[in-house]
Amino acid sequence: MHLAHDPTAAPAPQINFDQFLAVDIRVGTIVAAEPYPEARKPSLKLTIDFGPAIGTKRSSAQIATLYEPAALIGRQVAGVVNFPPRQIGKFMSEVLALGFPDEHGNVVLFAPDRRVPNGARLF
């Protein structure tokens, strides 16, 4: 099991507040979702609206086991918006949609429990 998926793993080394602030985590609304059958792990291609300052970005997310594309439209999610784009097969993923593993290692998306403006930054 990957360390990040192990709830019994020790915490990561301490970082300072400036290091935390360097990771730009924003909320966005999923405006499109489609299957990505070419991915090695069950994945979906997401298009997420992060508001006027960041715009609409795409993400390849390993969430196809728990989520149907149509059910994701309009849902808010958290994502890291300042990683460099990453090629995932033939797809360019621009943001990292965030989630936590369930008891089987499937990704459960991380989202605010109330609606907030797209582009709002985690602090």
Side-chain angles (χ1 to χ4, degrees), residues 1-2 5 34-45 60-66 86 88-89 104-107:
M1 180 177 276
H2 187 273
H5 296 166
E34 59 187 279
Y36 188 21
E38 301 86 7
R40 284 184 285 149
K41 294 185 179 180
S43 300
L44 298 177
K45 296 177 188 176
S60 172
Q62 295 176 359
I63 60 173
T65 302
L66 297 180
R86 183 173 177 196
I88 309 290
H104 303 291
N106 300 311
V107 177

Side-chain angles (χ1 to χ4, degrees), residues 4-101:
H5 296 166
D6 182 358
T8 64
Q14 284 189 348
I15 61 172
N16 65 45
F17 193 67
D18 288 337
Q19 289 171 305
F20 169 73
L21 290 177
V23 181
D24 194 353
I25 300 171
R26 306 281 183 121
V27 69
T29 299
I30 298 172
V31 296
E34 59 187 279
Y36 188 21
E38 301 86 7
R40 284 184 285 149
K41 294 185 179 180
S43 300
L44 298 177
K45 296 177 188 176
L46 304 178
T47 303
I48 306 167
D49 178 3
F50 285 99
I54 295 168
T56 301
K57 301 289 182 182
R58 301 195 70 204
S59 180
S60 172
Q62 295 176 359
I63 60 173
T65 302
L66 297 180
Y67 297 96
E68 290 294 324
L72 291 170
I73 307 303
R75 180 186 172 124
Q76 287 195 304
V77 294
V80 177
V81 299
N82 66 332
F83 283 151
R86 183 173 177 196
Q87 190 77 39
I88 309 290
K90 294 182 179 180
F91 182 79
M92 185 62 73
S93 188
E94 301 170 300
V95 298
L96 175 65
L98 298 176
F100 293 98

